[in-house]
Amino acid sequence: MKFEIPAGTNPIDRMKVVGHAHDRIDGPLKTTGLAPYAYEHHREMPNAAYGQIVGSAIAKGRINAIDLTAAKASPGVIAIVTAQDAGPLGKGNFNTVKLLGGPDIEHYHQAIAIVVAETFEQARTAANLVRVDYARATGRYDLDTALKTAPLKPAEKDAPAEDRVGKFEPAFAAAPVKLDAHYTTPDHSHAMMEPFASIASWNGDQLTVWTSNQMIDWGRGDLAKTLGIPKEKITFQSPYVGGGFGGKLFLRTDAVMAALGAKAAGRPVKVALPRPFIANNTTHRPATRQRIRIGATRDGTITAIAHESGSGDQPNGSPETAVNQTKLLYAGANRLTSMRLAVLDLPEGNAMRAPGEAPGLMALEIAMDEMAEKLGMDPVAFRVKNDTQVDPEKPERRFSERQLVRCLTDGAAKFGWASRNAKAGQVRDGRWLVGMGVASAFRNHMNMASGARVRLGKDGVVTVETDMTDIGTGSYTIIAQTAAEMMGVPLDTVVVKLGSSAFPVSAGSGGQFGAANATAGVYAACVKLREAVAQRLGYNSADAVFADGKVTSGNRSADLRQAASAGELVAEDKIEFGDLDKSWQLSTFGAHFVEVGVDAYTGATRLRRMLAVCAAGRIINPKSARSQVIGAMTMGVGSALMEDLAVDKRFGFFVNHDLAGYEVPVHADIPHQDVVFLDEADDKANPMKAKGVGELGLCGVGAAVANAVYNATGVRIRDYPLTLDKHLDRLPAVA
C-alpha cells in the first residue's frame, strides 16, 4: 500500500479499540519472568557455553602481541578468538568502527578477543589472564581543543555545511535586543537495564542469533556484512528488549563475538557485555558545545536567530544534530544553523533517545528564556508570539498539524503558571528556594516503510507477524489494537509475534518512528486480509463492515471465522510513502512545565512537580503512551541534574562507566508527573493518523528544569548537568 494522499475516513476512525487505554499484553509475561530476554533462551540454545569479551586497555595504538598461554590453560576454557583467528571481517553499514579490534585499536574497550568457557566464572577468570603488549599512540580526547580546528560538517552527505535564510549577521547587529550565549552538554550513556547480550549457534553454515536489538533487519544485514556471509544464512531473533534508547539500533560486538565464539567452540555461546562496556565499548550521546544568538524587536518579534553546535566522533562519524529543531521551531526572517565535527578517539558517538533535539533543546530553550527576560516578557508569551504555521526556511511548506501554542497555553493554565513570580530568587518555602520553568518540546516525525503479515485462523484468531521490536514501549499492544480495530474483533483474539527475521521487515523501534509506521504496516496488511475475507465470503470488499466478530455487506452478515472455515487466510503487505512529507512538514510538539526546590543552604535541587502537554497525532494507546512520556521526562531530569560521562583526557576513556558512578534518576528523585495529550489526528502522516510521542517526552525537559532552577535562585547555569557546585557560591543569602 502506498500512502500518497491524505488519509480519508477509514476503519481506524471508529476508535473502538484504538485510542483507548489498554494494559500491555506483555506485562504479565515480564512481571512473572516468562518473557525471555536475549541471554535467557536456554530452551532454544541448549548446552550454551559462556563468552567473555576482552576489551582494549588503550584507546589508541596497536597490539604488538597477545599471549594466550595462561588463558588457554585456565580450567573450563573451550576456545579463544582474536582478530588474527577470526580472519578478515567487514564493517557494518551502521557501524563507525570495527567491532573486533586488532592489530589497530580505535577506542578504549574495543573488543580484541573472546574467551569461551564452560561457565561464566571460568570465562571471566580466563579473560583476565590474556596478556596484551600494546604500542600506545597519541589520541585526541579533548572536545574543546579539537573543536578549535574542526571543520563544518553537514548532517547529510549532500547538505550544505551551513543553512542560511536571509542575512543573519546584519539583522542580528541591527536588532535592538540581542542574546549571544554559549551552552554545553556532556557525553551521556544509554544505561539501559538490560545490557547488550546475545546467544549464537551455528548449524552448518546457518547462523541463529538471539539478541537484544531494536532493528532486526539492520542488525541482520550488518552481521552478514561483518562475517562475510549471505544475509539469508542468518536468523535474527529479538522478541523482548529490556531498553535500548538508541544504543541497540545497531549491531554491536556482543552479537559478532558470540557468533565467532560459537563457530570456534562448535556449540552455542552466550555473551553479555559487562556494565563498563556499555559506556566504553558501545555508543553514547556525544557532548556538545553550542552557541545561540537571537535578535528581536522590543515587542518580542525574533528577527534573527542562529544556532551553531560542535560535537565529536570517530573518523567517518557524524555530528550530533543539535541544531535541527532550531530550523523549524520559531519564526524569524534571518536564520543561520551549522554544525562542526571534531575527530576524537573516544568510543563511538551515535543515536541516543531523541538524537539532536534532546541536547539542542537543552540549549535553545534556555536561550529563549534568557531572551524573554531581556525583553521583559513572560517566557510563555514570548514563545507564543514567535510561533509559525509554516517551515521558516521554506514558507511554502505548512505544518500538517502544529498545536504548539495550545500546548503552551493549556499547560500554563493547568500548571498554575500565572502564580509564578517573574523575578527570580523571590519565592521560598522554608529552606527551599522555589521556581517554575517552561520549555517547548519538538521532534520531527519520520515516515519509513514497514511490513506485516496477518493470518485469520479457523478459530477466528487473528495473528500478526512482523519483525517490529518491543523495547518496553508497548509495541505488542498497539499492534494488537490496530489489528483488532481493522478486523472488528476483541483484543484478546489477536496474537502478535514480533522480533524475528522470519517475519516481514518493519520500521523497527527508534527515533519516535516505530509505533506510527509499524501500525500503518499492520493496517496495510489488514486491508489485504479484509479483501481476502470478503472475497471468500462472496461479499463486496468496498462496503464490507468488520465489527463485533462479524462481516456485514448490505443485508448479509457472517461470522469472521466462517471465512477461514475452508482454511487459514493469509495476507501480507507494507506501508510505503509518497511525497506528502515534501509538501507538508510533519512534526510533533509539546510543552514541559517544571517546579523545583533548591536548598538555600546546600544548593541541592529537588523536583516538586512536572507536566507535559503533547500534540503528536492520534494516540493509539494513552496508557502506554503516558508511560513512554513519563519515562522520557525522567530521563530529561537525569540529563539536567546528574548525568555526565566523565572523560579521562589523558587516556581516552569514560571514567564513571557503571551505575555507581554514572548517576541516573531513581524513584525518590521523581515527584508527581502529569501528562496531557491534545486531540489530534494527522491525516498527512499515515492511515493511522498517528505520529510518535516517546522522544517528545524528553525534548525540552532539561531546559524546563534549568529555567526552573534559575527562577528559584536567580543564578543562570549554562553548563549541564546543573550540579550544586555550579551555583552554591552565588545563591541568595540565607539570612
Side-chain angles (χ1 to χ4, degrees), residues 52-57 80 100 109-115 123 126-128 130 132 134 257 277 281:
Q52 181 77 8
I53 292 175
V54 179
S56 171
I80 301 178
L100 175 57
H109 267 174
Q110 185 175 21
I112 60 171
I114 181 171
V115 177
N128 288 332
V130 173
V132 186
Y134 296 101
M257 300 306 280
F277 277 52
N281 175 276

Side-chain angles (χ1 to χ4, degrees), residues 56 61-63 66 82-84 87 98-106 110-113:
S56 171
R62 286 177 62 85
I63 296 173
I66 300 181
T82 67
Q84 185 175 357
K98 290 184 176 181
L99 298 181
L100 175 57
D104 294 320
I105 298 299
E106 297 164 284
Q110 185 175 21
I112 60 171

Side-chain angles (χ1 to χ4, degrees), residues 1-2 449-452 505 520-521 524-525 572-576:
M1 171 185 289
K2 194 151 189 180
S450 191
V505 175
E572 182 175 331
D573 202 358
K574 65 180 177 179
I575 191 74
E576 296 180 285

Side-chain angles (χ1 to χ4, degrees), residues 564-615:
S565 60
E568 180 185 55
L569 288 174
V570 182
E572 182 175 331
D573 202 358
K574 65 180 177 179
I575 191 74
E576 296 180 285
F577 295 92
D579 295 331
L580 274 179
D581 59 345
K582 291 183 173 62
S583 304
W584 299 87
Q585 177 58 44
L586 306 175
S587 304
T588 63
F589 297 90
H592 290 286
F593 293 83
V594 171
E595 183 179 86
V596 304
V598 178
D599 192 303
Y601 293 88
T602 69
T605 299
R606 295 290 182 266
L607 272 291
R608 294 164 72 100
R609 59 194 179 100
M610 304 178 74
L611 167 67
V613 182
C614 303

Side-chain angles (χ1 to χ4, degrees), residues 533-547:
V533 167
Q535 183 177 7
R536 179 75 64 87
L537 294 173
Y539 291 177
N540 180 4
S541 61
D543 65 6
V545 176
F546 290 68

Side-chain angles (χ1 to χ4, degrees), residues 14 462 482-489 526 529-530 533 546-547 560:
R14 293 179 304 177
V462 176
T482 302
E485 192 78 76
M486 289 296 293
M487 302 309 299
V489 298
C526 285
L529 183 59
R530 287 163 60 104
V533 167
F546 290 68
L560 179 64

Side-chain angles (χ1 to χ4, degrees), residues 143-271:
L143 176 61
D144 292 306
T145 299
L147 279 175
K148 292 176 182 177
T149 56
L152 291 168
K153 176 83 171 184
E156 299 174 3
K157 185 177 180 181
D158 297 324
E162 288 185 334
D163 280 344
R164 288 181 174 271
V165 175
K167 297 180 179 180
F168 169 76
E169 285 83 1
F172 181 72
V177 184
K178 292 188 275 286
L179 171 76
D180 185 347
H182 292 78
Y183 306 87
T184 73
T185 64
D187 296 289
H188 288 151
S189 176
H190 301 93
M192 70 289 288
M193 289 182 67
E194 182 200 22
F196 294 80
S198 296
I199 307 179
S201 178
W202 292 86
N203 182 8
D205 62 352
Q206 299 284 329
L207 172 64
T208 299
V209 181
W210 293 86
T211 189
S212 186
N213 189 281
Q214 297 172 225
M215 306 288 289
I216 298 300
D217 193 57
W218 289 7
R220 182 189 184 206
D222 273 2
L223 182 56
K225 186 174 181 181
T226 302
L227 298 178
I229 64 177
K231 183 177 178 179
E232 295 70 27
K233 298 288 186 181
I234 299 175
T235 300
F236 223 62
Q237 307 272 21
S238 191
Y240 298 104
V241 181
F245 309 128
K248 295 175 182 174
L249 285 172
F250 317 112
L251 178 74
R252 298 311 309 170
T253 192
D254 57 297
V256 173
M257 300 306 280
L260 293 174
K263 175 71 82 173
R267 60 193 270 198
V269 168
K270 57 194 301 183
V271 174

